[in-house]
Amino acid sequence: MSGPLEDLIDILGAEVAIKLNKFTPKTTKRLTIDRGMLDIEYDDHKAVGVDWAFDGVHKPSKLVVLWDRPTPWKAGQRAYLRRVLLGAGVYDDEVTHVWVSPYDPTSPILASQAIASNRLVFAALEAANTRYVLLCGAPSVAMWRPELKLKEVSGSAGVWDRKWVVYAIPNPVTVLREPMPQGEWRLWLYNFIDILNSSCDDGLPGLMAKCVMKDCTDDVLMYDPDGIGWCGRHWKKESQKAEMQKFKRKKKINLAQEERLDI
């Protein structure tokens, strides 16, 4: 049964609950200090440091690529991404690369390392000084919304903590193995660059048009604060459940930060 809200949305279109904080570029001096301090912290954790946007001096990033694990500059998947980004007008020294798990990929990640990694990722996103984050692969999507699968959000935009516009694509290593999806993958990346080049102050383009729930083909009725689309049958229960999971995850990270600082 529909109610007044549903009837109104049916007439006017999907309701949007998304709010983005204002983005403020940092000075070169501030970036150099923030990134230098974070580099030291990565070393303290014996983690692989961030590859910052840098052309002789530190500068605000045009975008961040969030990989699942440390990916060297010469790696085939990173070289492929670099070429496609260059074709879209984004230069390599404008991009910051961050890793979800910045530890030895040959060893299982410990629970304590996972918590530290979460905190380091958020600190790296802040120090990168950009509004745009490319979620490259399933682990990166899980860092943002762990209950969602990559295929459910690939090729659509979202919002992370009201600070970052995110866009999910498969890790390019998968399209290098199977050339058939390369055309769609490149199109998704170009769509993300179009969003980057547009103003998000008057609304966020690139949001999903269909409900995110598996096997649901209904049109979006409501967007949650992260830009995830829900139909009339699923938005209330499922979006509330997702918000609770997000709150619990953030609380764990904050507690870990307090313990580190002996608060």
Side-chain angles (χ1 to χ4, degrees), residues 248-260:
K248 290 179 179 178
R249 186 170 72 254
K250 197 165 185 178
K251 188 175 180 180
K252 284 184 179 179
I253 296 170
N254 291 340
L255 284 173
Q257 173 77 344
E258 290 174 3
E259 290 174 2
R260 187 182 71 87

PDB file of all heavy atoms in Angstrom, residues 248-260:
ATOM      1  N   LYS A 248      28.336   0.604  13.378  1.00  0.00           N
ATOM      2  CA  LYS A 248      29.123  -0.324  14.173  1.00  0.00           C
ATOM      3  C   LYS A 248      30.569  -0.392  13.680  1.00  0.00           C
ATOM      4  O   LYS A 248      31.513  -0.440  14.477  1.00  0.00           O
ATOM      5  CB  LYS A 248      28.491  -1.719  14.128  1.00  0.00           C
ATOM      6  CG  LYS A 248      27.173  -1.835  14.885  1.00  0.00           C
ATOM      7  CD  LYS A 248      26.606  -3.239  14.778  1.00  0.00           C
ATOM      8  CE  LYS A 248      25.292  -3.366  15.551  1.00  0.00           C
ATOM      9  NZ  LYS A 248      24.706  -4.728  15.415  1.00  0.00           N
ATOM     10  N   ARG A 249      30.747  -0.384  12.359  1.00  0.00           N
ATOM     11  CA  ARG A 249      32.089  -0.451  11.798  1.00  0.00           C
ATOM     12  C   ARG A 249      32.895   0.798  12.148  1.00  0.00           C
ATOM     13  O   ARG A 249      34.060   0.713  12.529  1.00  0.00           O
ATOM     14  CB  ARG A 249      31.989  -0.622  10.278  1.00  0.00           C
ATOM     15  CG  ARG A 249      33.325  -0.844   9.598  1.00  0.00           C
ATOM     16  CD  ARG A 249      33.142  -1.251   8.146  1.00  0.00           C
ATOM     17  NE  ARG A 249      32.688  -0.156   7.314  1.00  0.00           N
ATOM     18  CZ  ARG A 249      31.462  -0.016   6.825  1.00  0.00           C
ATOM     19  NH1 ARG A 249      30.526  -0.895   7.123  1.00  0.00           N
ATOM     20  NH2 ARG A 249      31.154   1.005   6.052  1.00  0.00           N
ATOM     21  N   LYS A 250      32.253   1.949  12.043  1.00  0.00           N
ATOM     22  CA  LYS A 250      32.943   3.195  12.348  1.00  0.00           C
ATOM     23  C   LYS A 250      33.294   3.279  13.834  1.00  0.00           C
ATOM     24  O   LYS A 250      34.348   3.796  14.215  1.00  0.00           O
ATOM     25  CB  LYS A 250      32.063   4.378  11.953  1.00  0.00           C
ATOM     26  CG  LYS A 250      32.818   5.692  11.849  1.00  0.00           C
ATOM     27  CD  LYS A 250      32.005   6.734  11.111  1.00  0.00           C
ATOM     28  CE  LYS A 250      32.821   7.995  10.896  1.00  0.00           C
ATOM     29  NZ  LYS A 250      32.071   9.010  10.137  1.00  0.00           N
ATOM     30  N   LYS A 251      32.436   2.738  14.682  1.00  0.00           N
ATOM     31  CA  LYS A 251      32.700   2.733  16.119  1.00  0.00           C
ATOM     32  C   LYS A 251      33.946   1.912  16.441  1.00  0.00           C
ATOM     33  O   LYS A 251      34.769   2.308  17.274  1.00  0.00           O
ATOM     34  CB  LYS A 251      31.485   2.184  16.863  1.00  0.00           C
ATOM     35  CG  LYS A 251      31.574   2.313  18.380  1.00  0.00           C
ATOM     36  CD  LYS A 251      30.283   1.847  19.035  1.00  0.00           C
ATOM     37  CE  LYS A 251      30.376   1.975  20.555  1.00  0.00           C
ATOM     38  NZ  LYS A 251      29.131   1.521  21.215  1.00  0.00           N
ATOM     39  N   LYS A 252      34.109   0.769  15.768  1.00  0.00           N
ATOM     40  CA  LYS A 252      35.291  -0.063  15.975  1.00  0.00           C
ATOM     41  C   LYS A 252      36.563   0.693  15.597  1.00  0.00           C
ATOM     42  O   LYS A 252      37.579   0.639  16.296  1.00  0.00           O
ATOM     43  CB  LYS A 252      35.182  -1.349  15.149  1.00  0.00           C
ATOM     44  CG  LYS A 252      34.230  -2.384  15.717  1.00  0.00           C
ATOM     45  CD  LYS A 252      34.267  -3.644  14.875  1.00  0.00           C
ATOM     46  CE  LYS A 252      33.335  -4.705  15.431  1.00  0.00           C
ATOM     47  NZ  LYS A 252      33.356  -5.939  14.595  1.00  0.00           N
ATOM     48  N   ILE A 253      36.516   1.393  14.475  1.00  0.00           N
ATOM     49  CA  ILE A 253      37.686   2.149  14.025  1.00  0.00           C
ATOM     50  C   ILE A 253      38.020   3.255  15.020  1.00  0.00           C
ATOM     51  O   ILE A 253      39.188   3.482  15.368  1.00  0.00           O
ATOM     52  CB  ILE A 253      37.439   2.726  12.617  1.00  0.00           C
ATOM     53  CG1 ILE A 253      37.283   1.587  11.601  1.00  0.00           C
ATOM     54  CG2 ILE A 253      38.581   3.647  12.200  1.00  0.00           C
ATOM     55  CD1 ILE A 253      36.813   2.048  10.239  1.00  0.00           C
ATOM     56  N   ASN A 254      36.996   3.959  15.498  1.00  0.00           N
ATOM     57  CA  ASN A 254      37.215   5.036  16.461  1.00  0.00           C
ATOM     58  C   ASN A 254      37.791   4.514  17.771  1.00  0.00           C
ATOM     59  O   ASN A 254      38.661   5.145  18.379  1.00  0.00           O
ATOM     60  CB  ASN A 254      35.913   5.790  16.726  1.00  0.00           C
ATOM     61  CG  ASN A 254      35.458   6.600  15.523  1.00  0.00           C
ATOM     62  OD1 ASN A 254      36.250   6.911  14.645  1.00  0.00           O
ATOM     63  ND2 ASN A 254      34.180   6.924  15.468  1.00  0.00           N
ATOM     64  N   LEU A 255      37.305   3.344  18.217  1.00  0.00           N
ATOM     65  CA  LEU A 255      37.829   2.745  19.444  1.00  0.00           C
ATOM     66  C   LEU A 255      39.297   2.373  19.282  1.00  0.00           C
ATOM     67  O   LEU A 255      40.109   2.561  20.200  1.00  0.00           O
ATOM     68  CB  LEU A 255      37.009   1.507  19.818  1.00  0.00           C
ATOM     69  CG  LEU A 255      35.631   1.762  20.432  1.00  0.00           C
ATOM     70  CD1 LEU A 255      34.873   0.443  20.598  1.00  0.00           C
ATOM     71  CD2 LEU A 255      35.752   2.480  21.774  1.00  0.00           C
ATOM     72  N   ALA A 256      39.637   1.846  18.109  1.00  0.00           N
ATOM     73  CA  ALA A 256      41.030   1.489  17.846  1.00  0.00           C
ATOM     74  C   ALA A 256      41.916   2.729  17.863  1.00  0.00           C
ATOM     75  O   ALA A 256      43.038   2.709  18.357  1.00  0.00           O
ATOM     76  CB  ALA A 256      41.141   0.777  16.498  1.00  0.00           C
ATOM     77  N   GLN A 257      41.397   3.824  17.330  1.00  0.00           N
ATOM     78  CA  GLN A 257      42.151   5.081  17.324  1.00  0.00           C
ATOM     79  C   GLN A 257      42.361   5.585  18.749  1.00  0.00           C
ATOM     80  O   GLN A 257      43.453   6.039  19.109  1.00  0.00           O
ATOM     81  CB  GLN A 257      41.390   6.122  16.490  1.00  0.00           C
ATOM     82  CG  GLN A 257      41.984   7.521  16.530  1.00  0.00           C
ATOM     83  CD  GLN A 257      43.214   7.653  15.656  1.00  0.00           C
ATOM     84  OE1 GLN A 257      43.795   6.663  15.246  1.00  0.00           O
ATOM     85  NE2 GLN A 257      43.618   8.882  15.402  1.00  0.00           N
ATOM     86  N   GLU A 258      41.321   5.497  19.587  1.00  0.00           N
ATOM     87  CA  GLU A 258      41.435   5.950  20.970  1.00  0.00           C
ATOM     88  C   GLU A 258      42.442   5.114  21.751  1.00  0.00           C
ATOM     89  O   GLU A 258      43.229   5.632  22.536  1.00  0.00           O
ATOM     90  CB  GLU A 258      40.064   5.889  21.651  1.00  0.00           C
ATOM     91  CG  GLU A 258      39.074   6.941  21.119  1.00  0.00           C
ATOM     92  CD  GLU A 258      37.697   6.765  21.701  1.00  0.00           C
ATOM     93  OE1 GLU A 258      37.534   5.863  22.560  1.00  0.00           O
ATOM     94  OE2 GLU A 258      36.790   7.504  21.302  1.00  0.00           O
ATOM     95  N   GLU A 259      42.443   3.801  21.511  1.00  0.00           N
ATOM     96  CA  GLU A 259      43.399   2.919  22.194  1.00  0.00           C
ATOM     97  C   GLU A 259      44.830   3.248  21.784  1.00  0.00           C
ATOM     98  O   GLU A 259      45.748   3.242  22.599  1.00  0.00           O
ATOM     99  CB  GLU A 259      43.076   1.463  21.864  1.00  0.00           C
ATOM    100  CG  GLU A 259      41.777   0.955  22.514  1.00  0.00           C
ATOM    101  CD  GLU A 259      41.409  -0.418  22.056  1.00  0.00           C
ATOM    102  OE1 GLU A 259      42.185  -0.997  21.259  1.00  0.00           O
ATOM    103  OE2 GLU A 259      40.351  -0.921  22.462  1.00  0.00           O
ATOM    104  N   ARG A 260      45.020   3.568  20.493  1.00  0.00           N
ATOM    105  CA  ARG A 260      46.361   3.908  20.013  1.00  0.00           C
ATOM    106  C   ARG A 260      46.883   5.179  20.666  1.00  0.00           C
ATOM    107  O   ARG A 260      48.072   5.314  20.956  1.00  0.00           O
ATOM    108  CB  ARG A 260      46.346   4.056  18.484  1.00  0.00           C
ATOM    109  CG  ARG A 260      47.713   4.241  17.875  1.00  0.00           C
ATOM    110  CD  ARG A 260      47.580   4.418  16.364  1.00  0.00           C
ATOM    111  NE  ARG A 260      46.985   5.711  16.057  1.00  0.00           N
ATOM    112  CZ  ARG A 260      47.682   6.845  15.912  1.00  0.00           C
ATOM    113  NH1 ARG A 260      48.996   6.827  16.066  1.00  0.00           N
ATOM    114  NH2 ARG A 260      47.090   7.969  15.614  1.00  0.00           N
TER     115      ARG A 260
END
